[in-house]
Amino acid sequence: MSAAESDRTVDALLSHITEARLREAVRTLTSVPSPTGREAQLAHLLADRLSACGYTAVAQHLDEHQANAVGRLRGSGGGEDLMLYAPIDTLTTGVEELDVPWVGERLRPDMLAQARDEGPFVSGLGAGNPKGHAACILALAEALAHVRPPLDGDVVVAFGAGGMPTNAVEAPGFPARANTGHGVGCSFLLERGWYTDHAVIAKPGEFVAHDEVGLTWFEITVPGTHTYVGSRHRLPYRNPIVTAAEVATRLERWLADYPNRHRSATAAPQGIIGSIAGGWERMVAVTPAECRLRLDIRIAPGTAPLQVKRELLAFTREVGRQLDTELGLEMVLAVPGTSTPSDAPIVRHAIAAWERTHRRPHQAASDNSGATDANILRARGIPTVRTGMPKVSSTELDIDPSREFARGMNTVDVRAMRRLCEVLARITLAVTARTSH
């Protein structure tokens, strides 16, 4: 396909991808709850829409509650196949009993699976990440089926369950399986044969990325003495909650400096303490025998999980020596970071598409610390790039910056959606046209 033919085809696709259609798509997806582990209802909706416009599509169940949606638009044959991929599960559940107080003192309107129009924005649980990005892929998929450009390769459109960095939600109506997040849907998709030559994942960030960080989770165990408040002055006393506070303070300083030791050209991998557990809330008259800290440490592409474990182990041993205690350490999760060669065809096509759409040179983003299912795709041998939309900022929304993370996850700018659709359309035409390789 020549450059002129490609431009005409993009214009035809964009004439179908109107802001009204994009708004409808993201409102529809946002209004169907899909917390990690319960994506099946949304997967069926997506599979039905793909089938209705001409794709060979299925809702691919992992179990009763969790499912992917995937469809194929066949080319004429002889070309290379492209996967357009987005996860569909939300980071929080939208259920007050499960989210509050950890997400805040109450669920704001944007934290509910109820789409709301706010000028050029649409808000609701996951409206920005991931559902705005999934809606862009859906809108492009429907436009491709409507226009039917002459493609040699197949276009596979995939919406993955379990893309968020979470273990199972422990609540009635959720899967009993422990492995419901961390890319489980993407992995299952590939295990069942939905392979392509190249892939694009749509996730936040108005740039093209060909690599990204991985993640490791660790549990630090702080020992102590189980005793009773009435006997504090008579029996041995060592409260592991107090010791854990000392450990957490020192660990936070260690984590603050961690990116300086592991920075790469594109990544500044971060770490946080995300959970602390110790003692009975129902019985605060006694101390527990141990306290547990859990932390997420991101790892740059090329860094082995065990390398970080050994670095953290040396730190915890020194802290234990200083505090006269023996800290336990276990790695409880690892997803290595991955990279697609910068000169791979999918990277070249994606950057060219981005520059054509934005009408300026592309500059690689630096200091990235977010991980996505792109790590699963690359680890299974599919050259993959990531591209997406910028997060809506607190300035644009006129809100307190302390609310920016959740509000940004839950808000999407429809104008940015259309730009992303153009980037995705140009990549699709370039990859699936045989003469472009």
Side-chain angles (χ1 to χ4, degrees):
M1 185 179 291
S2 68
E5 290 172 324
S6 178
D7 284 343
R8 287 194 293 271
T9 304
V10 168
D11 288 342
L13 292 169
L14 291 176
S15 69
H16 189 78
I17 305 172
T18 62
E19 288 194 2
R21 283 196 170 102
L22 288 169
R23 189 179 293 274
E24 179 277 327
V26 71
R27 284 182 59 91
T28 297
L29 270 57
T30 300
S31 297
V32 179
S34 60
T36 305
R38 291 196 60 91
E39 303 93 338
Q41 181 184 359
L42 182 54
H44 277 273
L45 182 152
L46 288 161
D48 288 346
R49 285 188 63 151
L50 292 174
S51 294
C53 66
Y55 286 71
T56 303
V58 295
Q60 184 190 47
H61 276 261
L62 285 73
D63 65 12
E64 177 186 0
H65 304 289
Q66 190 166 39
N68 302 319
V70 60
R72 183 185 301 273
L73 186 68
R74 296 192 182 277
S76 60
E80 296 190 349
D81 298 347
L82 174 69
M83 180 185 295
L84 300 174
Y85 180 92
I88 55 172
D89 57 317
T90 57
L91 186 62
T92 54
T93 68
V95 178
E96 185 170 2
E97 307 89 85
L98 300 178
D99 294 346
V100 174
W102 315 124
V103 78
E105 62 183 19
R106 61 182 176 82
L107 291 181
R108 303 190 308 262
D110 66 284
M111 295 175 174
L112 302 172
Q114 299 169 4
R116 301 164 65 241
D117 289 322
E118 298 180 302
F121 308 113
V122 174
S123 70
L125 181 58
N129 181 14
K131 296 191 176 182
H133 289 77
C136 288
I137 289 180
L138 176 63
L140 174 59
E142 292 177 332
L144 286 166
H146 177 79
V147 175
R148 289 308 302 240
L151 304 178
D152 293 324
D154 295 353
V155 177
V156 170
V157 175
F159 302 98
M164 288 295 176
T166 177
N167 292 339
V169 176
E170 297 178 1
F174 284 82
R177 290 181 291 108
N179 61 327
T180 57
H182 305 294
V184 64
C186 185
S187 183
F188 188 76
L189 180 82
L190 299 176
E191 288 171 7
R192 294 302 185 267
W194 289 89
Y195 262 81
T196 55
D197 298 286
H198 315 273
V200 179
I201 182 171
K203 284 282 282 182
E206 199 171 34
F207 50 79
V208 174
H210 65 92
D211 63 3
E212 63 187 59
V213 303
L215 61 150
T216 50
W217 284 9
F218 295 94
E219 182 174 275
I220 296 175
T221 305
V222 182
T225 303
H226 173 52
T227 193
Y228 170 56
V229 61
S231 302
R232 172 175 174 157
H233 58 307
R234 292 192 174 98
L235 296 175
Y237 176 78
R238 180 146 200 175
N239 191 335
I241 297 172
V242 176
T243 308
E246 288 280 352
V247 173
T249 299
R250 299 174 192 219
L251 182 58
E252 183 71 3
R253 290 196 294 266
W254 185 86
L255 290 171
D257 189 56
Y258 172 84
N260 297 326
R261 302 190 299 274
H262 294 276
R263 191 179 301 274
S264 71
T266 58
Q270 306 291 315
I272 60 166
I273 305 166
S275 172
I276 182 168
W280 295 275
E281 288 188 349
R282 66 175 178 84
M283 190 166 54
V284 295
V286 298
T287 58
E290 70 174 33
C291 189
R292 298 192 300 271
L293 303 172
R294 282 204 169 188
L295 55 151
D296 180 323
I297 301 180
R298 299 300 164 100
I299 54 177
T303 299
L306 285 175
Q307 177 183 337
V308 177
K309 179 182 179 181
R310 292 181 179 119
E311 186 178 338
L312 181 60
L313 181 60
F315 169 78
T316 55
R317 283 177 173 169
E318 175 59 20
V319 171
R321 186 192 64 77
Q322 294 170 6
L323 299 178
D324 191 26
T325 190
E326 187 172 341
L327 303 176
L329 176 68
E330 291 292 341
M331 184 164 63
V332 295
L333 184 136
V335 179
T338 58
S339 180
T340 297
S342 59
D343 60 351
I346 186 62
V347 180
R348 291 189 285 105
H349 289 315
I351 290 175
W354 193 97
E355 291 182 339
R356 180 72 171 151
T357 299
H358 291 269
R359 292 172 172 75
R360 66 178 187 270
H362 177 265
Q363 290 206 321
S366 59
D367 293 354
N368 296 315
S369 190
T372 74
D373 285 351
N375 282 327
I376 309 299
L377 293 161
R378 294 191 194 100
R380 295 299 186 90
I382 301 178
T384 301
V385 296
R386 167 185 175 175
T387 192
M389 297 175 281
K391 280 190 176 181
V392 179
S393 70
S394 57
T395 302
E396 292 175 280
L397 295 170
D398 193 25
I399 60 171
D400 183 337
S402 67
R403 295 168 52 189
E404 184 161 356
F405 168 70
R407 195 67 162 88
M409 292 279 284
N410 299 334
T411 308
V412 67
D413 186 331
V414 179
R415 298 164 297 186
M417 291 179 70
R418 200 160 186 271
R419 289 196 301 273
L420 176 57
C421 285
E422 181 175 347
V423 173
L424 296 173
R426 292 187 181 280
I427 296 171
T428 301
L429 296 178
V431 170
T432 56
R434 183 187 313 163
T435 56
S436 66
H437 300 287

